[in-house]
Amino acid sequence: MSVQKELPQFRKDKLGRVSFYVDGAPFIALSGELHNSSASSLRYMDEKVWPALRPLHMNSVILPITWESIEPEENSFDFSLPDGLIAAARREGLRLILLWFGLWKNGMSTYVPGWVKSASSGKDARFFRVRDGFGKPLDCISPFCAEAVGADAKAFRALMQHISEIDADRTVIAVQVENEIGVLGAGRDYSDAASAAYLQPIPDSVARWYEVSGSWEEAFGADGAEMLMAWQYAQAVEQIASQGKSVYLLPMYVNAWLQQHPDRAGAYPSGGPIAKVKELWKLAAPSISCYAPDIYVNNFGKVCDEYATSGNPLFIPEVRATKDSASFLMYAVGKHGALCFAPFGIEDLFGKRSDEIGGNLLSALNIGADAFDPSGAGNRLAAAYDLIGNMKELIFEAHRKKQIHAFLEYHDAGTTIHLTHYDAQISYTGASESFFGGAGKGADKAVSGGFIIETDENSFILCGSGYSVQFLPRPGEAKAVGVLKKEEGRYQEGVWIPGRTLNGDEGYFISLSDFPQVQKVRLFEYE
Ligand code: DGJ
């Protein structure tokens, strides 16, 4: 019998910052999400997936467990697939974050068992569907269908019970409840039950929080339909998650298909936890530890900034899998202390874009074709994961002491960071207005990004890629700044292993090339 390890946890400190604890210590999930069907076959995983992940220096993988696979007949459970996946992850030295594909996956009910699908036809069906404004049934079981939510909650509880019995070493560290929830193709559910609820007064807790009253429409005007759906989905998720937590207290989160062009609920799943309705979700679903953005839009930094607010930790279960991923990681970890970072379709990172991601699928999911171009992505992400994994204690400490400053290129030339003694003028390599005026901006260049840790007022750790730094005296100070020592190197479990000392040709300018790396710089002033 193996010894029970400490439960994975999201813990809040006195300042309200949330950390992810695994084996009793802070953890960053350096992860990747698999294509939807990869984990449905243990053999496919052994042949194609686990070998593709080995060079990436990941510490965890995100993969689905589907309702149809564990409850093929009503009340008859089969956990052989999760058992096999957990055993293989242990063999690979990786932790798992499970996606519960229950009633809802991308606004649809495609992963429910056959016995649920067969009982979902007609207005009075046992598992009735969402209807659009014309009364047409959608491929989505209604969150107002109490029997469906109850059946999902029962299956999810059985899964969590089983994992609690076989996973004393905590291979599974967190669970996503459902996937990109919400109604696609209509602003709200127009089933009879939903339309009746739309006219009811909003719940007291909602009225108090938002200081409004009346029906959903009276209280929220044009946003009423989306607010009703958010409330209903959140309540359903709360029922499902709390059933799971009652038998196994793992951290649970919900992910979001973001609000994006065309900017209207129903074009993106209406009722999902987009930034605008996060607070409503929090009211209805106290069992959920965080709301997690799936980031396929270009403006990565803005989405991170929007989600890492009001005590919501930044947890990124899906992000574009491209050469830019490494810079995105640096920003997410350096700026917001992200708990998880996971490019989607991670098993493709060293290869070509997989056939699964065709143009039709991408347009149905409203994802730009450039979001899955893995050229140059694998080596960069592997280096970045190696780097961050080996300096994570330093990063945690720098966050505690507020000594870390992160930046990310987004149609700009650079930024200036105000440090204790100096200003650090960051110029993105190749950006048209940058200090180096366009040099080095090839088609292959990733967006620039990284962070600086100020270990003391004259010493800095520079991390990331594609930028130069000019350290300047604070404005108005009649001093010059010189380099005392500049080193390349790497961290090995928190210990600095120096490489070359950079001086002369390599010393005049402080710059990090277009590949994730770390340098240490010590400065002095003279007058
Ligand atoms: C977002 C979904 O959550 C994933 O399951 C997957 O469908 C990706 N989009 C893109 O393929």
Side-chain angles (χ1 to χ4, degrees):
M1 241 292 287
S2 54
V3 184
Q4 288 252 331
K5 285 196 187 160
E6 212 171 295
L7 267 175
Q9 251 190 333
F10 282 11
R11 270 192 221 159
K12 205 175 249 185
D13 68 13
K14 281 186 252 141
L15 300 171
R17 262 186 332 233
V18 179
S19 305
F20 192 2
Y21 275 73
V22 172
D23 299 339
F27 182 82
I28 307 172
L30 302 172
S31 200
E33 185 165 320
L34 301 186
H35 284 293
N36 295 157
S37 307
S38 297
S40 65
S41 158
L42 296 178
R43 177 176 302 165
Y44 183 88
M45 289 292 290
D46 282 341
E47 287 173 1
K48 302 265 197 234
V49 178
W50 298 118
L53 304 188
R54 283 179 202 137
L56 278 166
H57 299 288
M58 297 159 70
N59 57 18
S60 51
V61 188
I62 307 186
L63 54 80
I65 302 294
T66 69
W67 186 4
E68 63 179 355
S69 76
I70 64 156
E71 197 183 4
E73 306 296 333
E74 189 165 9
N75 291 323
S76 163
F77 290 97
D78 173 0
F79 296 113
S80 49
L81 192 55
D83 287 351
L85 293 166
I86 290 171
R90 274 181 200 145
R91 180 194 72 207
E92 299 291 327
L94 291 169
R95 302 300 178 107
L96 291 178
I97 295 171
L98 300 183
L99 311 173
W100 170 239
F101 283 9
L103 269 172
W104 300 294
K105 153 79 172 78
N106 295 47
M108 294 190 284
S109 299
T110 43
Y111 283 93
V112 300
W115 57 269
V116 175
K117 285 182 185 160
S118 335
S120 67
S121 175
K123 280 196 162 190
D124 301 320
R126 179 175 171 209
F127 303 116
F128 64 84
R129 289 174 177 270
V130 169
R131 294 196 172 250
D132 71 8
F134 305 100
K136 188 171 127 269
L138 301 182
D139 194 359
C140 178
I141 292 178
S142 172
F144 290 89
C145 179
E147 183 146 10
V149 176
D152 178 320
K154 190 169 149 205
F156 184 63
R157 179 190 163 111
L159 175 65
M160 289 296 104
Q161 175 72 46
H162 179 75
I163 294 173
S164 78
E165 286 160 10
I166 59 141
D167 196 26
D169 71 352
R170 318 297 185 198
T171 296
V172 179
I173 53 173
V175 181
Q176 177 185 296
V177 186
E178 312 292 336
N179 189 81
E180 292 194 351
I181 218 163
V183 176
L184 263 183
R188 70 165 169 91
D189 182 357
Y190 287 83
S191 64
D192 293 345
S195 292
Y198 189 55
L199 302 175
Q200 291 299 307
I202 56 173
D204 286 347
S205 58
V206 180
R208 272 197 306 276
W209 180 263
Y210 287 95
E211 297 178 344
V212 288
S213 60
S215 69
W216 290 92
E217 192 172 294
E218 285 161 354
F220 297 108
D223 286 335
E226 187 175 7
M227 294 294 271
L228 166 74
M229 294 318 298
W231 179 254
Q232 194 62 27
Y233 276 113
Q235 281 200 310
V237 162
E238 175 59 21
Q239 190 180 328
I240 296 162
S242 60
Q243 279 294 315
K245 281 195 153 178
S246 71
V247 290
Y248 195 28
L249 215 53
L250 284 182
M252 295 190 187
Y253 70 92
V254 175
N255 68 331
W257 171 328
L258 300 177
Q259 177 171 15
Q260 64 192 100
H261 179 79
D263 197 16
R264 194 183 168 97
Y268 62 86
S270 177
I274 59 163
K276 173 169 88 174
V277 301
K278 237 174 18 197
E279 293 306 312
L280 185 63
W281 267 82
K282 280 196 201 164
L283 277 181
S287 299
I288 295 303
S289 305
C290 84
Y291 296 97
D294 291 349
I295 314 181
Y296 294 99
V297 294
N298 281 313
N299 199 348
F300 177 86
K302 178 170 164 257
V303 177
C304 292
D305 302 348
E306 225 170 43
Y307 269 80
T309 53
S310 323
N312 190 57
L314 183 61
F315 190 105
I316 305 171
E318 293 183 41
V319 57
R320 306 157 68 88
T322 70
K323 59 183 175 351
D324 300 331
S325 301
S327 296
F328 291 169
L329 165 75
M330 299 286 168
Y331 182 78
V333 166
K335 175 85 180 188
H336 294 297
L339 309 188
C340 172
F341 184 85
F344 184 83
I346 191 81
E347 63 269 54
D348 290 346
L349 232 60
F350 281 106
K352 301 200 286 19
R353 189 165 98 188
S354 90
D355 298 339
E356 274 103 339
I357 307 272
N360 289 343
L361 173 72
L362 289 174
S363 68
L365 296 171
N366 201 5
I367 295 177
D370 59 344
F372 294 111
D373 177 359
S375 34
N379 289 334
R380 280 189 173 94
L381 191 71
Y385 274 179
D386 192 26
L387 210 146
I388 299 291
N390 276 297
M391 59 186 293
K392 59 181 188 311
E393 305 301 340
L394 252 111
I395 295 172
F396 296 140
E397 194 192 342
H399 273 295
R400 274 194 300 275
K401 296 185 171 164
K402 297 195 190 314
Q403 289 172 334
I404 186 164
H405 309 270
F407 41 87
L408 181 67
E409 175 182 6
Y410 186 64
H411 302 305
D412 55 351
T415 187
T416 298
I417 295 169
H418 305 296
L419 301 160
T420 309
H421 245 48
Y422 308 100
D423 277 356
Q425 197 172 288
I426 313 283
S427 299
Y428 301 138
T429 315
S432 55
E433 299 159 61
S434 85
F435 184 68
F436 289 116
K441 182 81 165 183
D444 284 345
K445 189 189 166 297
V447 298
S448 305
F451 55 81
I452 295 184
I453 296 177
E454 183 177 16
T455 47
D456 66 46
E457 56 195 30
N458 287 305
S459 306
F460 304 92
I461 300 170
L462 316 180
C463 205
S465 62
Y467 65 93
S468 61
V469 192
Q470 213 188 351
F471 286 97
L472 301 167
R474 304 305 297 271
E477 284 182 355
K479 288 177 182 162
V481 181
V483 172
L484 211 58
K485 187 164 189 185
K486 186 167 96 167
E487 282 180 308
E488 63 182 10
R490 65 189 174 86
Y491 280 93
Q492 184 68 47
E493 293 187 17
V495 178
W496 176 245
I497 316 280
R500 290 178 304 168
T501 298
L502 301 172
N503 206 339
D505 289 352
E506 291 75 40
Y508 294 122
F509 296 108
I510 300 174
S511 66
L512 278 73
S513 74
D514 182 35
F515 194 80
Q517 63 198 271
V518 55
Q519 290 185 12
K520 276 187 159 190
V521 179
R522 192 158 173 75
L523 306 175
F524 72 105
E525 287 176 314
Y526 55 96
E527 40 190 311

mmCIF file of all heavy atoms in Angstrom, residues 379-413:
data_model
loop_
_atom_site.group_PDB
_atom_site.id
_atom_site.type_symbol
_atom_site.label_atom_id
_atom_site.label_comp_id
_atom_site.label_asym_id
_atom_site.label_seq_id
_atom_site.Cartn_x
_atom_site.Cartn_y
_atom_site.Cartn_z
ATOM 1 N N ASN A 379 10.927 23.361 -29.698
ATOM 2 C CA ASN A 379 12.212 23.630 -29.028
ATOM 3 C C ASN A 379 12.105 24.814 -28.077
ATOM 4 O O ASN A 379 12.676 24.807 -26.996
ATOM 5 C CB ASN A 379 13.296 23.934 -30.071
ATOM 6 C CG ASN A 379 13.664 22.679 -30.827
ATOM 7 O OD1 ASN A 379 13.512 21.572 -30.309
ATOM 8 N ND2 ASN A 379 14.121 22.849 -32.057
ATOM 9 N N ARG A 380 11.351 25.815 -28.526
ATOM 10 C CA ARG A 380 11.224 27.000 -27.663
ATOM 11 C C ARG A 380 10.495 26.650 -26.369
ATOM 12 O O ARG A 380 10.912 27.038 -25.284
ATOM 13 C CB ARG A 380 10.454 28.108 -28.382
ATOM 14 C CG ARG A 380 11.276 28.913 -29.364
ATOM 15 C CD ARG A 380 10.439 30.106 -29.824
ATOM 16 N NE ARG A 380 11.198 31.028 -30.635
ATOM 17 C CZ ARG A 380 11.240 30.988 -31.975
ATOM 18 N NH1 ARG A 380 10.564 30.067 -32.632
ATOM 19 N NH2 ARG A 380 11.945 31.879 -32.635
ATOM 20 N N LEU A 381 9.381 25.912 -26.497
ATOM 21 C CA LEU A 381 8.625 25.614 -25.276
ATOM 22 C C LEU A 381 9.421 24.677 -24.368
ATOM 23 O O LEU A 381 9.418 24.837 -23.146
ATOM 24 C CB LEU A 381 7.248 25.011 -25.603
ATOM 25 C CG LEU A 381 6.354 24.936 -24.372
ATOM 26 C CD1 LEU A 381 5.882 26.323 -23.935
ATOM 27 C CD2 LEU A 381 5.138 24.047 -24.589
ATOM 28 N N ALA A 382 10.102 23.697 -24.967
ATOM 29 C CA ALA A 382 10.905 22.773 -24.149
ATOM 30 C C ALA A 382 11.943 23.561 -23.345
ATOM 31 O O ALA A 382 12.122 23.334 -22.143
ATOM 32 C CB ALA A 382 11.586 21.742 -25.040
ATOM 33 N N ALA A 383 12.609 24.517 -24.010
ATOM 34 C CA ALA A 383 13.627 25.311 -23.305
ATOM 35 C C ALA A 383 12.980 26.146 -22.198
ATOM 36 O O ALA A 383 13.513 26.255 -21.085
ATOM 37 C CB ALA A 383 14.351 26.215 -24.302
ATOM 38 N N ALA A 384 11.823 26.720 -22.517
ATOM 39 C CA ALA A 384 11.161 27.586 -21.526
ATOM 40 C C ALA A 384 10.669 26.765 -20.327
ATOM 41 O O ALA A 384 10.787 27.194 -19.172
ATOM 42 C CB ALA A 384 9.995 28.328 -22.181
ATOM 43 N N TYR A 385 10.131 25.571 -20.582
ATOM 44 C CA TYR A 385 9.667 24.721 -19.473
ATOM 45 C C TYR A 385 10.852 24.279 -18.607
ATOM 46 O O TYR A 385 10.773 24.257 -17.373
ATOM 47 C CB TYR A 385 8.916 23.502 -20.016
ATOM 48 C CG TYR A 385 7.433 23.747 -20.277
ATOM 49 C CD1 TYR A 385 6.620 22.728 -20.788
ATOM 50 C CD2 TYR A 385 6.834 24.962 -19.998
ATOM 51 C CE1 TYR A 385 5.256 22.928 -21.018
ATOM 52 C CE2 TYR A 385 5.486 25.175 -20.236
ATOM 53 C CZ TYR A 385 4.695 24.161 -20.748
ATOM 54 O OH TYR A 385 3.351 24.360 -20.976
ATOM 55 N N ASP A 386 11.974 23.957 -19.264
ATOM 56 C CA ASP A 386 13.157 23.538 -18.527
ATOM 57 C C ASP A 386 13.618 24.677 -17.620
ATOM 58 O O ASP A 386 13.899 24.499 -16.434
ATOM 59 C CB ASP A 386 14.243 23.174 -19.555
ATOM 60 C CG ASP A 386 15.408 22.464 -18.904
ATOM 61 O OD1 ASP A 386 15.197 21.837 -17.847
ATOM 62 O OD2 ASP A 386 16.524 22.545 -19.440
ATOM 63 N N LEU A 387 13.615 25.850 -18.216
ATOM 64 C CA LEU A 387 14.080 27.029 -17.498
ATOM 65 C C LEU A 387 13.169 27.370 -16.303
ATOM 66 O O LEU A 387 13.635 27.495 -15.169
ATOM 67 C CB LEU A 387 14.025 28.140 -18.539
ATOM 68 C CG LEU A 387 14.936 29.298 -18.535
ATOM 69 C CD1 LEU A 387 15.198 29.688 -19.975
ATOM 70 C CD2 LEU A 387 14.228 30.411 -17.843
ATOM 71 N N ILE A 388 11.892 27.470 -16.572
ATOM 72 C CA ILE A 388 10.957 27.857 -15.503
ATOM 73 C C ILE A 388 10.890 26.760 -14.436
ATOM 74 O O ILE A 388 10.876 27.043 -13.236
ATOM 75 C CB ILE A 388 9.538 28.118 -16.075
ATOM 76 C CG1 ILE A 388 9.562 29.263 -17.081
ATOM 77 C CG2 ILE A 388 8.512 28.381 -14.967
ATOM 78 C CD1 ILE A 388 9.814 30.622 -16.517
ATOM 79 N N GLY A 389 10.880 25.489 -14.873
ATOM 80 C CA GLY A 389 10.820 24.384 -13.915
ATOM 81 C C GLY A 389 12.004 24.410 -12.963
ATOM 82 O O GLY A 389 11.870 24.090 -11.779
ATOM 83 N N ASN A 390 13.161 24.851 -13.442
ATOM 84 C CA ASN A 390 14.357 24.840 -12.603
ATOM 85 C C ASN A 390 14.559 26.117 -11.797
ATOM 86 O O ASN A 390 15.492 26.187 -11.001
ATOM 87 C CB ASN A 390 15.597 24.568 -13.471
ATOM 88 C CG ASN A 390 15.775 23.078 -13.685
ATOM 89 O OD1 ASN A 390 15.995 22.327 -12.736
ATOM 90 N ND2 ASN A 390 15.630 22.635 -14.921
ATOM 91 N N MET A 391 13.759 27.138 -12.068
ATOM 92 C CA MET A 391 13.908 28.361 -11.262
ATOM 93 C C MET A 391 12.597 28.764 -10.589
ATOM 94 O O MET A 391 12.426 29.903 -10.189
ATOM 95 C CB MET A 391 14.501 29.508 -12.096
ATOM 96 C CG MET A 391 13.717 29.909 -13.307
ATOM 97 S SD MET A 391 14.594 31.170 -14.319
ATOM 98 C CE MET A 391 14.569 32.596 -13.229
ATOM 99 N N LYS A 392 11.707 27.778 -10.408
ATOM 100 C CA LYS A 392 10.383 28.155 -9.904
ATOM 101 C C LYS A 392 10.425 28.718 -8.477
ATOM 102 O O LYS A 392 9.703 29.653 -8.158
ATOM 103 C CB LYS A 392 9.391 27.003 -10.031
ATOM 104 C CG LYS A 392 9.744 25.732 -9.323
ATOM 105 C CD LYS A 392 8.652 24.707 -9.582
ATOM 106 C CE LYS A 392 8.782 23.445 -8.787
ATOM 107 N NZ LYS A 392 10.098 22.789 -8.782
ATOM 108 N N GLU A 393 11.336 28.188 -7.631
ATOM 109 C CA GLU A 393 11.395 28.704 -6.251
ATOM 110 C C GLU A 393 11.773 30.185 -6.259
ATOM 111 O O GLU A 393 11.225 30.981 -5.509
ATOM 112 C CB GLU A 393 12.447 27.943 -5.415
ATOM 113 C CG GLU A 393 12.260 26.434 -5.391
ATOM 114 C CD GLU A 393 10.909 26.030 -4.827
ATOM 115 O OE1 GLU A 393 10.298 26.854 -4.120
ATOM 116 O OE2 GLU A 393 10.454 24.905 -5.113
ATOM 117 N N LEU A 394 12.709 30.506 -7.129
ATOM 118 C CA LEU A 394 13.134 31.905 -7.257
ATOM 119 C C LEU A 394 11.979 32.802 -7.704
ATOM 120 O O LEU A 394 11.839 33.941 -7.261
ATOM 121 C CB LEU A 394 14.177 31.972 -8.369
ATOM 122 C CG LEU A 394 15.604 32.205 -7.990
ATOM 123 C CD1 LEU A 394 16.393 30.950 -8.248
ATOM 124 C CD2 LEU A 394 16.141 33.316 -8.853
ATOM 125 N N ILE A 395 11.179 32.249 -8.620
ATOM 126 C CA ILE A 395 10.033 33.017 -9.129
ATOM 127 C C ILE A 395 9.000 33.214 -8.016
ATOM 128 O O ILE A 395 8.484 34.314 -7.818
ATOM 129 C CB ILE A 395 9.419 32.307 -10.354
ATOM 130 C CG1 ILE A 395 10.430 32.297 -11.506
ATOM 131 C CG2 ILE A 395 8.104 32.956 -10.781
ATOM 132 C CD1 ILE A 395 10.039 31.466 -12.713
ATOM 133 N N PHE A 396 8.740 32.139 -7.249
ATOM 134 C CA PHE A 396 7.771 32.283 -6.142
ATOM 135 C C PHE A 396 8.256 33.355 -5.166
ATOM 136 O O PHE A 396 7.497 34.201 -4.718
ATOM 137 C CB PHE A 396 7.596 30.955 -5.384
ATOM 138 C CG PHE A 396 7.004 29.839 -6.225
ATOM 139 C CD1 PHE A 396 7.474 28.536 -6.117
ATOM 140 C CD2 PHE A 396 5.967 30.092 -7.115
ATOM 141 C CE1 PHE A 396 6.935 27.507 -6.874
ATOM 142 C CE2 PHE A 396 5.424 29.067 -7.879
ATOM 143 C CZ PHE A 396 5.909 27.774 -7.764
ATOM 144 N N GLU A 397 9.557 33.294 -4.830
ATOM 145 C CA GLU A 397 10.093 34.255 -3.868
ATOM 146 C C GLU A 397 10.027 35.679 -4.426
ATOM 147 O O GLU A 397 9.673 36.626 -3.725
ATOM 148 C CB GLU A 397 11.544 33.880 -3.543
ATOM 149 C CG GLU A 397 12.042 34.602 -2.318
ATOM 150 C CD GLU A 397 13.545 34.471 -2.135
ATOM 151 O OE1 GLU A 397 14.148 33.566 -2.742
ATOM 152 O OE2 GLU A 397 14.083 35.306 -1.390
ATOM 153 N N ALA A 398 10.347 35.807 -5.716
ATOM 154 C CA ALA A 398 10.313 37.144 -6.327
ATOM 155 C C ALA A 398 8.897 37.708 -6.316
ATOM 156 O O ALA A 398 8.697 38.906 -6.110
ATOM 157 C CB ALA A 398 10.853 37.067 -7.748
ATOM 158 N N HIS A 399 7.898 36.849 -6.514
ATOM 159 C CA HIS A 399 6.513 37.331 -6.432
ATOM 160 C C HIS A 399 6.195 37.768 -5.003
ATOM 161 O O HIS A 399 5.581 38.819 -4.798
ATOM 162 C CB HIS A 399 5.533 36.243 -6.871
ATOM 163 C CG HIS A 399 5.294 36.247 -8.363
ATOM 164 N ND1 HIS A 399 4.678 37.292 -9.008
ATOM 165 C CD2 HIS A 399 5.584 35.344 -9.327
ATOM 166 C CE1 HIS A 399 4.605 37.036 -10.309
ATOM 167 N NE2 HIS A 399 5.155 35.859 -10.530
ATOM 168 N N ARG A 400 6.617 36.938 -4.033
ATOM 169 C CA ARG A 400 6.334 37.308 -2.634
ATOM 170 C C ARG A 400 6.941 38.665 -2.310
ATOM 171 O O ARG A 400 6.339 39.488 -1.644
ATOM 172 C CB ARG A 400 6.917 36.254 -1.687
ATOM 173 C CG ARG A 400 5.990 35.079 -1.429
ATOM 174 C CD ARG A 400 6.452 34.244 -0.223
ATOM 175 N NE ARG A 400 7.780 33.685 -0.372
ATOM 176 C CZ ARG A 400 8.060 32.532 -0.997
ATOM 177 N NH1 ARG A 400 7.076 31.805 -1.514
ATOM 178 N NH2 ARG A 400 9.292 32.098 -1.093
ATOM 179 N N LYS A 401 8.152 38.907 -2.826
ATOM 180 C CA LYS A 401 8.839 40.172 -2.503
ATOM 181 C C LYS A 401 8.543 41.268 -3.510
ATOM 182 O O LYS A 401 9.156 42.347 -3.440
ATOM 183 C CB LYS A 401 10.353 39.913 -2.482
ATOM 184 C CG LYS A 401 10.779 38.950 -1.390
ATOM 185 C CD LYS A 401 12.289 38.855 -1.380
ATOM 186 C CE LYS A 401 12.793 38.083 -0.194
ATOM 187 N NZ LYS A 401 14.199 37.672 -0.381
ATOM 188 N N LYS A 402 7.677 40.984 -4.466
ATOM 189 C CA LYS A 402 7.323 41.954 -5.516
ATOM 190 C C LYS A 402 8.569 42.433 -6.266
ATOM 191 O O LYS A 402 8.765 43.628 -6.508
ATOM 192 C CB LYS A 402 6.562 43.141 -4.926
ATOM 193 C CG LYS A 402 5.226 42.761 -4.300
ATOM 194 C CD LYS A 402 4.405 44.011 -4.094
ATOM 195 C CE LYS A 402 3.163 43.846 -3.278
ATOM 196 N NZ LYS A 402 2.308 42.740 -3.556
ATOM 197 N N GLN A 403 9.440 41.497 -6.609
ATOM 198 C CA GLN A 403 10.687 41.861 -7.303
ATOM 199 C C GLN A 403 10.707 41.356 -8.745
ATOM 200 O O GLN A 403 11.771 41.234 -9.335
ATOM 201 C CB GLN A 403 11.878 41.240 -6.560
ATOM 202 C CG GLN A 403 12.155 41.889 -5.233
ATOM 203 C CD GLN A 403 13.196 41.125 -4.448
ATOM 204 O OE1 GLN A 403 13.362 39.926 -4.640
ATOM 205 N NE2 GLN A 403 13.879 41.819 -3.561
ATOM 206 N N ILE A 404 9.552 41.014 -9.281
ATOM 207 C CA ILE A 404 9.533 40.439 -10.631
ATOM 208 C C ILE A 404 8.685 41.334 -11.542
ATOM 209 O O ILE A 404 7.625 41.817 -11.140
ATOM 210 C CB ILE A 404 9.028 38.973 -10.587
ATOM 211 C CG1 ILE A 404 9.133 38.299 -11.961
ATOM 212 C CG2 ILE A 404 7.649 38.830 -10.015
ATOM 213 C CD1 ILE A 404 9.018 36.776 -11.905
ATOM 214 N N HIS A 405 9.184 41.560 -12.743
ATOM 215 C CA HIS A 405 8.535 42.491 -13.680
ATOM 216 C C HIS A 405 8.466 41.818 -15.040
ATOM 217 O O HIS A 405 9.516 41.506 -15.615
ATOM 218 C CB HIS A 405 9.345 43.780 -13.790
ATOM 219 C CG HIS A 405 9.677 44.373 -12.458
ATOM 220 N ND1 HIS A 405 8.858 45.268 -11.829
ATOM 221 C CD2 HIS A 405 10.727 44.157 -11.620
ATOM 222 C CE1 HIS A 405 9.390 45.605 -10.663
ATOM 223 N NE2 HIS A 405 10.524 44.932 -10.504
ATOM 224 N N ALA A 406 7.259 41.619 -15.563
ATOM 225 C CA ALA A 406 7.125 40.873 -16.825
ATOM 226 C C ALA A 406 6.602 41.780 -17.932
ATOM 227 O O ALA A 406 5.955 42.807 -17.670
ATOM 228 C CB ALA A 406 6.168 39.708 -16.624
ATOM 229 N N PHE A 407 6.883 41.397 -19.161
ATOM 230 C CA PHE A 407 6.456 42.203 -20.324
ATOM 231 C C PHE A 407 6.266 41.272 -21.506
ATOM 232 O O PHE A 407 6.821 40.166 -21.552
ATOM 233 C CB PHE A 407 7.501 43.276 -20.625
ATOM 234 C CG PHE A 407 8.907 42.769 -20.492
ATOM 235 C CD1 PHE A 407 9.538 42.167 -21.563
ATOM 236 C CD2 PHE A 407 9.578 42.843 -19.272
ATOM 237 C CE1 PHE A 407 10.825 41.662 -21.436
ATOM 238 C CE2 PHE A 407 10.874 42.330 -19.136
ATOM 239 C CZ PHE A 407 11.492 41.742 -20.224
ATOM 240 N N LEU A 408 5.435 41.741 -22.463
ATOM 241 C CA LEU A 408 5.122 40.929 -23.642
ATOM 242 C C LEU A 408 4.837 41.873 -24.800
ATOM 243 O O LEU A 408 4.030 42.804 -24.667
ATOM 244 C CB LEU A 408 3.875 40.084 -23.341
ATOM 245 C CG LEU A 408 3.388 39.153 -24.444
ATOM 246 C CD1 LEU A 408 4.403 38.032 -24.705
ATOM 247 C CD2 LEU A 408 2.046 38.531 -24.058
ATOM 248 N N GLU A 409 5.455 41.606 -25.938
ATOM 249 C CA GLU A 409 5.249 42.446 -27.124
ATOM 250 C C GLU A 409 3.819 42.277 -27.634
ATOM 251 O O GLU A 409 3.309 41.173 -27.741
ATOM 252 C CB GLU A 409 6.238 42.000 -28.215
ATOM 253 C CG GLU A 409 6.062 42.694 -29.533
ATOM 254 C CD GLU A 409 7.032 42.171 -30.600
ATOM 255 O OE1 GLU A 409 7.766 41.188 -30.334
ATOM 256 O OE2 GLU A 409 7.050 42.750 -31.691
ATOM 257 N N TYR A 410 3.174 43.388 -27.929
ATOM 258 C CA TYR A 410 1.893 43.319 -28.632
ATOM 259 C C TYR A 410 1.738 44.601 -29.454
ATOM 260 O O TYR A 410 1.246 45.605 -28.949
ATOM 261 C CB TYR A 410 0.718 43.142 -27.657
ATOM 262 C CG TYR A 410 -0.590 42.931 -28.403
ATOM 263 C CD1 TYR A 410 -0.771 41.792 -29.192
ATOM 264 C CD2 TYR A 410 -1.604 43.879 -28.358
ATOM 265 C CE1 TYR A 410 -1.933 41.597 -29.917
ATOM 266 C CE2 TYR A 410 -2.778 43.687 -29.082
ATOM 267 C CZ TYR A 410 -2.931 42.558 -29.861
ATOM 268 O OH TYR A 410 -4.078 42.365 -30.582
ATOM 269 N N HIS A 411 2.192 44.577 -30.702
ATOM 270 C CA HIS A 411 2.170 45.750 -31.570
ATOM 271 C C HIS A 411 2.790 46.972 -30.917
ATOM 272 O O HIS A 411 2.292 48.082 -31.066
ATOM 273 C CB HIS A 411 0.724 46.088 -31.984
ATOM 274 C CG HIS A 411 0.043 44.954 -32.682
ATOM 275 N ND1 HIS A 411 0.565 44.341 -33.790
ATOM 276 C CD2 HIS A 411 -1.099 44.304 -32.406
ATOM 277 C CE1 HIS A 411 -0.231 43.373 -34.186
ATOM 278 N NE2 HIS A 411 -1.251 43.313 -33.356
ATOM 279 N N ASP A 412 3.837 46.767 -30.130
ATOM 280 C CA ASP A 412 4.515 47.918 -29.541
ATOM 281 C C ASP A 412 6.022 47.689 -29.621
ATOM 282 O O ASP A 412 6.474 46.602 -29.971
ATOM 283 C CB ASP A 412 4.051 48.183 -28.100
ATOM 284 C CG ASP A 412 4.203 46.964 -27.199
ATOM 285 O OD1 ASP A 412 4.504 45.864 -27.710
ATOM 286 O OD2 ASP A 412 4.020 47.100 -25.981
ATOM 287 N N ALA A 413 6.786 48.736 -29.307
ATOM 288 C CA ALA A 413 8.230 48.669 -29.513
ATOM 289 C C ALA A 413 8.981 48.264 -28.257
ATOM 290 O O ALA A 413 10.138 47.860 -28.310
ATOM 291 C CB ALA A 413 8.732 50.024 -29.993
#
